């Protein structure tokens, strides 16, 4: 039994299901990300946990206690809002002290705890500033401090980094993880940025259209996406139409007119299949004897790697080539493509259409 | 930003002159040493201001108006805040009708409201009562306060309230500690606008004031329709000055253009 | 209104409790007195015994047939219309000029134009009576130019001048608001596509302003038609308008039922115009969308 548990939780707005049959078990101290495109129900899920939205169906338990219908004030969870939701008429210290005041903590103790948490988020010197006098990154830290100071059992973060610029976002990402480790708090973070989710979470929950599509550790999620949607949303991927043919040796997939031997990892139904290969798994080789070949149609230099697009009989294929000094073939050059056969995923083609409906 | 041509600027100058002329003339005439309405060609004098302060009727009316505006602005703001909360924070049947009812005094001519109150007051025997005069003013100035508070509520970030709830605050605490302070600029602006509208109100008041409750605008109207002397100009100048000060306060607080033109 | 949906628990009673005090007051102190006045306007009145407990339509018939009252209604309508037209002709270009002004001037002049709204009507009217009087500044100026003095005070001209003065902000504000929504580059785009200044104004700016002009006109017409202080102070004994005649009936003639009948007619006319306007706005909004 998990520390925080959601069972069959749904939220309907009229006929429309913002969240449907959400099942998740979270261990104490875990860092979980809810990942999905805008409008897929991440905020709704988070707010149901916080108590700001009442679920239509289902049950939420925290440490064995049913909190499904409990008021947000009584749950005592720490919530960081996307807009930070700082109280504009209070200083940083007053903002952070608010939750302690509500818990009737004595003034001296309150001041001590506020000072402690402000030093954790490195804001000690700004305690008397008002929110409007601070930068986005600093406001973000205040919001985190305010949520943490009440020692909540769970910290809920709604797109905490989306209002920061790119450089700051990367910095805060690791800062967030550091703080979470120091405090050891169970954390759920909502994000639509896959890089963010992969880099700092213990587990990632991928959502689409109000439903969970996959729950996994970042590495397995990246390497073993369950469907096209995930493999394209989490990182980039090439999709190749393919057909299964049962043979004694295993499974072979026919891409265009070339037969590609794939080790048997299960039985594939005859019919349309889909092969997914990540751009960084593909190597450039001599056209002769390559799995696929064709002319380079575009080439971009991205600093630490090159991004090539190659026109093959199986379609346009993206290839990421590490920048090891020598420039790769230029536009128009014919190149061959190859990859380790274990590095590609085989997905049923119907899955894609099933997901899109 | 395109430039205005010379023709446009000339037009604009004339309009500004037209708008300011009567106010400027009033202020100038107030300083005349003469007994007649004349510009102070030969020296300035404060005698007419002194005359105002020694005129018991004007002094009494000023205090009547000030008390009346103070009470009615405060009461109408206290009514407007919960009403605005009901209208913006909840969806319920009849919400639009309620909104229309509250804003209706803006489209009912004050003349009609005045006549209606006169009827009510004579019906219930409230003629000459200061309390009922306050009630009448509350009705016509509440829409001004309400509009501003509605705009403030609609522009408010709701997540601050949600944050307070997750931190353990109950509904009343959320209102007292979060919503109210965040609304305070809108509320004080609404109060000031209500105050000024009450202080200036003539058309309704002239029907419902009794000799003991005559307000300053009513007193001025009656005085001006009988005799015209520079004392009227002096009173007017004082009112213009008072309005000017209020305008500056409002402008500092919100930007007056936002307030009068804004989303209202 | 996302707030309503994100409430923790729907409490259907709360909004009614919050709005109850104001609602009770508005019903008791706006709707009830209006109803009492409507009833009063059907009461029989005679000069010896005052208001009697009998009902009649005579008050309305008198008001709508007696040439004295008809003349007053006609004047009210005419002057309000004239004021509206002049306010449109002055207010629309002024609002447009204001939108084209540079940074500090725009706010300063906007304040100059709309600030007088906060100055009591009595004060502003009194200012005009000093300017337009027999011995006023306008006649002084004429004398300096060697011209004959003119009688302005206690004429319809004086009333219209002062009404336009009071109403100008009510016209500038909605037009300004409407023009604010106009992307300044749109006009520039029209000019760059070869439209003349005038065509750009007529085809691009003016359509945007029409809704503002319409709502401004409505406010100006309604307020002018029920204006009290201006005809009272600048019209003298002779030139009555609707509001001043109601005042006379109530406080001088003491014929309340007749005064009530006129007031009710003013109210109904006002509401009819508002309704017509709402229809018009809705139709225009539909056209824009469709
Ligand atoms: N109060 C509400 N009323 C109706 N629909 C809502 C409400 N809140 C959210 N939704 C809908 O529910 C879906 C999920 O919203 P949300 O959880 O905010 O998505 P996300 O945070 O993943 O972008 C959206 O389609 C949104 O329009
Ligand atoms: Mg969201």
């Amino acid at each position: 039994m998990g520390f925080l548990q959601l069972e069959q939780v749904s939220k309907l707005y009229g006929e429309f299901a913002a969240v449907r049959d959400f099942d998740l078990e979270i261990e104490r101290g875990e860092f979980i990300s809810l990942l999905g495109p805008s409008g897929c129900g991440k905020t709704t899920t988070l707010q149901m946990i916080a108590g700001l939205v009442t679920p239509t169906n289902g049950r939420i338990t925290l440490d064995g206690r049913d909190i499904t219908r409990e008021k947000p004030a009584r749950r005592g969870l720490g919530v960081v809002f996307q807009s930070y939701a700082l109280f504009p008429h209070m200083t940083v210290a007053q903002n952070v002290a608010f939750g302690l005041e509500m818990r009737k903590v004595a003034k001296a103790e309150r001041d001590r705890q506020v000072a402690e948490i402000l030093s954790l988020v490195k804001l000690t010197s700004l305690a008397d500033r008002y929110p409007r006098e601070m930068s986005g990154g600093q406001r973000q830290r205040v919001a985190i401090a305010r949520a943490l100071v009440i020692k909540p059992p769970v910290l809920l973060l709604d797109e905490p980094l989306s209002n920061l610029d790119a450089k700051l976002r990367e910095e805060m990402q690791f800062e967030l993880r550091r703080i979470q480790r120091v405090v050891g708090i169970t954390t759920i973070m909502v994000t639509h940025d896959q890089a963010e989710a992969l880099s700092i979470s213990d587990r990632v929950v991928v959502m689409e259209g109000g439903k969970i599509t996959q729950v996994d550790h970042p590495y397995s999620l990246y390497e073993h996406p369950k469907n096209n949607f995930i493999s394209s949303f989490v990182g980039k991927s090439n999709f190749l139409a393919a057909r299964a043919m049962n043979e004694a040796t295993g499974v072979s997939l026919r891409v265009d007119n070339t037969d590609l031997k794939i080790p048997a990892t299960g039985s594939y139904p005859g019919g349309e299949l889909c092969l997914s290969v990540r751009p960084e798994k593909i190597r450039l080789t001599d056209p002769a004897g390559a799995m696929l070949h064709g002319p380079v149609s575009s080439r971009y230099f991205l600093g630490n790697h090159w991004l090539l697009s190659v026109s093959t009989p199986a379609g346009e294929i993206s290839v990421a080539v590490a920048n090891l000094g020598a420039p790769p073939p230029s536009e128009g050059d014919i190149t061959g493509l190859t990859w380790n056969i274990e590095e590609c995923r085989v997905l049923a083609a119907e899955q894609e259409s099933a997901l899109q409906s | 930003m395109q430039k205005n041509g010379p023709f446009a600027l000339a037009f604009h100058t004339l309009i500004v002159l037209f708008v300011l002329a009567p106010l400027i003339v009033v202020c100038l005439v107030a300083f005349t040493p003469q007994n007649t309405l004349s510009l102070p060609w030969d020296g300035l004098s404060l005698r007419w201001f002194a005359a105002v302060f020694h005129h018991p009727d004007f002094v009494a009316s000023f205090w009547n108006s000030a008390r009346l505006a103070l009470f009615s602005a405060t009461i109408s703001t206290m009514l407007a805040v919960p009403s605005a909360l009901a209208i913006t924070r909840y969806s319920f049947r009849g919400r639009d009708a309620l909104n229309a009812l509250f804003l209706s005094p803006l489209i009912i001519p004050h003349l009609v409201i005045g006549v209606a109150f006169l009827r009510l007051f004579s019906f219930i025997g409230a003629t000459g009562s200061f309390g009922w005069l306050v009630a009448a003013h509350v009705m016509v100035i509440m829409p001004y306060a309400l509009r501003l508070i509605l705009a403030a509520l609609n522009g408010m970030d709701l997540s601050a309230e949600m944050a307070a709830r997750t931190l353990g605050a109950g509904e009343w605490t959320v209102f007292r500690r979060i919503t109210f302070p965040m609304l305070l600029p809108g509320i004080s602006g609404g109060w000031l606008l209500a105050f000024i509208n009450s202080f200036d109100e003539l058309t309704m008041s002239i029907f419902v004031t009794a000799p003991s409750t005559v307000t300053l605008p009513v007193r001025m109207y009656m005085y001006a329709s009988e005799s015209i002397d520079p004392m009227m100009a002096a009173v007017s100048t004082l009112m213009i000055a008072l309005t000017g000060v209020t305008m500056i306060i409002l402008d500092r607080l919100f930007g007056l253009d936002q307030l009068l033109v804004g989303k209202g | 209104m996302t707030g309503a949906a994100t409430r923790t628990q729907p409490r259907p009673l709360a909004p009614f409790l919050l709005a109850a005090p104001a609602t009770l007051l508005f019903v008791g102190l706006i709707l009830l007195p209006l109803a009492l006045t409507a009833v009063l306007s059907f009461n029989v009145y005679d000069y010896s015994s005052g208001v009697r407990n009998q009902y009649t339509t005579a008050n309305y018939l008198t008001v709508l047939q007696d040439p004295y009252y008809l003349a007053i209604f006609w004047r009210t309508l005419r002057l309000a219309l004239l004021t509206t037209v002049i306010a449109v002709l002055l207010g629309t270009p002024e609002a447009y000029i204001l939108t084209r002004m540079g940074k500090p001037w725009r706010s300063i002049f906007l304040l100059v134009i709309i600030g007088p709204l906060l100055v009591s009507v009595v004060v502003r009217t009194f200012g005009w009576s000093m300017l337009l009087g027999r011995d006023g500044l306008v006649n002084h100026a004429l004398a300096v130019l060697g011209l004959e003095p003119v009688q302005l005070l206690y004429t319809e001209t004086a009333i219209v001048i002062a009404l336009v003065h009071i109403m100008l902000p009510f016209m500038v504000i909605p037009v300004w608001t409407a023009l604010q929504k106009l992307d300044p580059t749109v006009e520039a785009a029209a000019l760059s596509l070869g439209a003349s200044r005038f065509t750009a104004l007529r085809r691009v700016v003016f359509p945007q302003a029409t809704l503002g002009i319409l709502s401004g006109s409505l406010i100006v017409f309604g307020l002018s038609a029920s204006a009290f202080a201006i005809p009272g102070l600048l019209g003298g004994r002779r030139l009555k308008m609707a509001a001043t005649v109601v005042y006379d009936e109530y406080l001088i003639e003491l014929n309340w039922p007749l005064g009530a009948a006129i007031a009710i007619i003013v109210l109904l006319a006002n509401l009819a115009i508002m309704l017509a306007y709402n229809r018009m706005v809705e139709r225009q909004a539909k056209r824009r969308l469709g």
Side-chain angles (χ1 to χ4, degrees):
Chain A
M1 174 109 173
F3 178 58
L4 176 67
Q5 195 151 346
L6 288 92
E7 298 164 59
Q8 294 289 304
V9 174
S10 303
K11 177 67 191 181
L12 306 178
Y13 289 113
E15 297 280 286
F16 174 76
V19 175
R20 223 177 323 161
D21 301 332
F22 196 98
D23 267 309
L24 187 65
E25 218 173 284
I26 299 168
E27 296 307 323
R28 201 187 287 267
E30 244 189 324
F31 195 123
I32 299 278
S33 287
L34 299 185
L35 175 66
S38 184
C40 71
K42 307 179 297 287
T43 297
T44 307
T45 307
L46 202 73
Q47 297 205 332
M48 284 193 288
I49 300 172
L52 297 167
V53 169
T54 314
T56 315
N57 294 308
R59 217 164 81 97
I60 304 175
T61 53
L62 177 66
D63 209 2
R65 179 166 59 103
D66 187 336
I67 58 165
T68 317
R69 313 254 148 212
E70 207 168 53
K71 285 195 174 181
R74 300 219 37 229
R75 297 188 193 201
L77 306 185
V79 185
V80 174
F81 292 81
Q82 188 168 2
S83 60
Y84 310 143
L86 297 182
F87 308 135
H89 55 291
M90 297 187 196
T91 62
V92 168
Q94 287 167 340
N95 260 283
V96 176
F98 187 85
L100 297 173
E101 253 180 89
M102 294 300 113
R103 283 164 178 69
K104 309 232 168 7
V105 176
K107 175 103 173 69
E109 174 62 12
R110 211 157 69 201
D111 291 347
R112 196 189 62 71
Q113 292 190 19
V114 169
E116 189 181 73
I117 202 83
L118 284 182
S119 96
L120 176 72
V121 298
K122 301 173 181 160
L123 279 180
T124 309
S125 58
L126 301 182
D128 294 321
R129 291 249 187 117
Y130 282 93
R132 63 172 176 277
E133 302 165 337
M134 297 196 299
S135 71
Q138 290 165 339
R139 285 183 212 177
Q140 157 91 76
R141 287 163 197 259
V142 179
I144 293 172
R146 186 179 67 181
L148 283 178
V149 77
I150 58 172
K151 308 219 158 53
V154 177
L155 180 64
L156 305 170
L157 305 157
D158 193 352
E159 311 232 3
L161 307 174
S162 63
N163 285 336
L164 305 177
D165 58 59
K167 190 164 152 41
L168 201 57
R169 185 153 55 213
E170 201 163 303
E171 226 173 272
M172 275 310 290
Q173 206 167 298
F174 296 106
E175 180 71 5
L176 204 59
R177 184 62 167 165
R178 177 187 71 84
I179 295 170
Q180 193 260 342
R181 287 247 167 82
V182 172
V183 183
I185 187 171
T186 313
T187 303
I188 304 175
M189 177 179 83
V190 159
T191 179
H192 63 258
D193 179 349
Q194 48 98 11
E196 204 171 288
L198 294 181
S199 61
I200 56 177
S201 0
D202 295 318
R203 279 194 299 157
V204 179
V205 177
V206 184
M207 290 181 70
E208 200 203 351
K211 289 207 291 199
I212 296 184
T213 43
Q214 188 168 3
V215 183
D216 230 323
H217 302 288
Y219 183 74
S220 359
L221 188 72
Y222 190 81
E223 294 298 321
H224 306 282
K226 274 201 188 137
N227 62 35
N228 280 0
F229 168 72
I230 297 173
S231 49
S232 61
F233 192 72
V234 179
K236 291 201 181 80
S237 215
N238 294 298
F239 297 105
L240 307 172
R243 182 175 292 275
M245 286 176 292
N246 285 308
E247 280 178 18
T249 51
V251 178
S252 104
L253 290 161
R254 195 170 183 77
V255 174
D256 194 39
N257 292 323
T258 327
D259 276 344
L260 298 178
K261 296 247 184 276
I262 301 290
T265 52
S267 72
Y268 301 102
E272 299 305 317
L273 287 181
C274 181
L275 197 63
S276 147
V277 198
R278 299 227 181 254
E280 71 273 16
K281 309 279 183 183
I282 302 176
R283 291 189 309 276
L284 302 179
T285 61
D286 194 68
M291 287 179 168
L292 293 165
H293 65 269
V296 175
S297 57
S298 70
R299 188 182 81 166
Y300 298 104
F301 179 53
L302 300 176
N304 61 350
H305 71 278
W306 301 81
L307 191 63
L308 270 64
S309 187
V310 180
S311 299
T312 70
E316 284 288 321
I317 296 199
S318 295
V319 186
V321 186
N323 178 13
L324 301 173
S330 39
E331 286 174 22
D333 293 354
I334 304 286
T335 182
L337 304 176
T338 185
W339 60 88
N340 290 343
I341 216 73
E342 316 81 58
E343 303 263 34
C344 65
R345 309 264 78 77
V346 181
L347 307 160
E350 306 90 85
Q351 245 180 333
E352 188 178 23
S353 48
L355 279 166
Q356 275 163 356
S357 66
Chain B
M1 189 54 52
Q2 309 97 318
K3 274 271 165 35
N4 286 302
F7 181 73
L9 287 178
F11 178 85
H12 171 71
T13 311
L14 286 179
I15 292 280
V16 169
L17 274 180
F18 171 69
V19 165
L20 293 181
L23 300 178
I24 293 171
V25 167
V26 163
C27 291
L28 289 177
V29 170
F31 290 95
T32 189
Q34 243 105 77
N35 279 330
T36 53
L37 292 174
S38 54
L39 292 177
W41 298 120
D42 26 53
L44 301 173
S45 158
L46 292 177
R47 61 176 285 208
W48 291 109
F49 288 97
V52 174
F53 290 112
H54 289 106
H55 196 293
D57 284 350
F58 273 118
V59 174
S61 301
F62 171 81
W63 288 117
N64 265 341
S65 279
R67 268 197 314 155
L68 177 62
L70 194 71
F71 280 112
S72 50
T74 307
I75 294 173
S76 59
T77 310
M78 278 162 45
L79 289 168
V81 171
S83 309
L85 279 172
I87 290 169
T88 52
R89 294 299 170 80
Y90 299 89
S91 56
F92 53 93
R93 280 188 54 166
R95 188 175 73 180
D96 292 340
L98 207 61
N99 198 10
L101 176 68
F102 290 162
L103 295 178
S104 65
L106 291 176
I107 56 163
I108 303 176
H110 281 201
L111 162 82
V112 177
I113 301 181
V115 163
F117 269 113
L118 180 58
R119 177 64 182 143
L120 180 76
F121 287 2
S122 77
F123 199 73
I124 61 175
T127 320
S129 142
F130 181 74
W132 282 100
L133 185 59
V134 170
H137 270 236
V138 166
M139 293 297 105
V140 294
I141 62 178
M142 189 181 129
Y144 295 99
L146 185 69
R147 271 203 311 195
L148 225 68
I149 296 168
L150 280 176
L153 270 171
N154 281 328
M156 204 172 128
D157 180 12
L158 286 174
S159 61
E161 290 177 10
M162 287 201 238
R165 274 185 211 114
T166 65
L167 290 167
E171 289 304 304
W172 172 240
T173 312
V174 169
F175 177 77
R176 196 170 52 84
R177 296 286 308 275
I178 310 297
T179 319
F180 183 74
M182 283 174 75
L183 270 187
L184 205 55
I187 292 175
S188 40
W191 184 89
L192 258 179
L193 217 55
F195 183 94
I196 265 220
N197 273 290
S198 163
F199 197 86
D200 285 348
E201 212 293 323
L202 169 72
T203 312
M204 178 193 75
S205 304
I206 206 160
F207 284 93
V208 290
T209 51
S212 63
T213 56
V214 165
T215 62
L216 193 52
V218 173
R219 172 77 61 203
M220 288 168 73
Y221 178 84
M222 299 200 293
Y223 191 86
S225 50
E226 277 153 24
S227 53
I228 290 189
D229 67 32
M231 190 162 75
M232 240 330 257
V235 184
S236 299
T237 305
L238 290 174
M239 284 192 79
I240 292 172
L242 197 76
T243 312
V245 170
T246 323
M247 264 174 68
I248 292 169
I249 297 176
L250 282 172
D251 196 38
R252 280 289 134 80
L253 275 176
F254 320 95
L256 199 58
D257 44 350
Q258 279 301 304
L259 202 68
L260 294 179
V261 180
K263 304 133 243 163
Chain C
M1 218 95 357
T2 52
T6 49
R7 284 263 137 181
T8 321
Q9 267 143 3
R11 260 170 298 170
L13 254 184
F16 295 104
L17 289 179
L18 285 170
T23 312
L24 287 179
L25 271 181
F26 270 84
V27 170
L29 294 181
I30 293 287
L31 299 186
L32 177 68
L34 283 177
L36 285 175
T37 307
V39 171
L40 179 67
S41 70
F42 290 101
N43 268 122
V44 174
Y45 177 85
D46 75 58
Y47 280 88
S48 48
S49 53
V51 180
R52 296 233 303 265
N53 236 343
Q54 292 163 328
Y55 296 95
T56 172
T57 54
N59 298 316
Y60 285 96
L61 292 179
T62 310
V63 170
L64 296 175
Q65 285 170 351
D66 189 324
Y68 172 73
Y69 294 110
L70 283 180
I72 290 171
F73 279 131
W74 172 234
R75 176 180 303 121
T76 305
L77 218 63
R78 198 156 39 83
L79 297 191
L81 210 61
L82 194 60
T83 303
T84 310
V85 171
I86 299 176
V88 170
L89 293 179
L90 298 183
T92 311
E94 179 59 19
Y96 178 65
I97 292 171
L98 280 174
T99 58
R100 290 164 59 92
M101 283 197 166
K103 199 65 187 150
W105 300 115
R106 183 163 36 172
S107 333
I108 291 173
F109 282 117
L110 192 62
L111 284 196
V112 168
I113 302 285
I114 63 179
L117 263 188
L118 298 179
V119 177
S120 173
V121 178
V122 187
V123 170
R124 288 183 281 166
T125 310
F126 173 69
W128 279 111
S129 80
M130 278 195 311
L131 277 168
L132 302 176
R134 181 138 274 283
D135 219 16
L137 228 65
V138 172
N139 273 334
H140 271 292
L142 288 179
V144 170
L145 295 176
L147 297 171
E148 285 290 295
V150 286
Q151 171 71 34
L152 283 169
L153 201 55
Y154 310 131
T155 64
E156 293 188 348
T157 315
I159 295 179
V160 171
I161 291 177
L163 277 177
V164 168
H165 180 256
I166 304 272
M167 299 304 163
L168 199 59
F170 292 107
M171 183 55 84
V172 171
I173 290 173
V175 178
W176 155 275
T177 313
L179 288 179
Q180 284 299 93
K181 289 180 200 135
L182 178 72
D183 182 351
T185 54
V186 171
E187 195 189 341
L191 287 174
S192 75
L193 290 172
S196 72
R197 285 298 314 261
F198 181 72
T199 312
L201 268 177
R202 191 171 54 84
R203 299 282 303 277
V204 178
V205 177
F206 191 73
Q208 183 73 27
T210 40
L211 217 58
I213 295 173
L214 213 63
S215 81
S217 308
L218 199 83
I219 298 167
V220 168
F221 184 82
L223 288 175
S224 304
S226 58
F228 171 72
I230 290 170
L233 289 177
L234 301 180
R237 293 260 162 269
R238 243 174 6 89
L239 293 180
K240 300 275 172 220
M241 281 176 74
T244 44
V245 82
V246 171
Y247 179 79
D248 286 353
E249 294 301 336
Y250 264 87
L251 301 178
I252 295 171
E253 306 286 332
L254 300 181
N255 186 350
W256 287 21
L258 193 72
I262 303 175
I264 293 292
I265 292 173
V266 170
L267 176 66
L268 291 181
N270 233 287
L271 295 182
I273 295 171
M274 292 287 164
L275 243 95
Y277 167 73
N278 272 344
R279 282 277 162 77
M280 209 143 62
V281 169
E282 269 167 27
R283 213 179 316 144
Q284 199 156 35
K286 254 185 219 147
R287 238 196 2 230
R288 287 258 162 95
L289 290 175

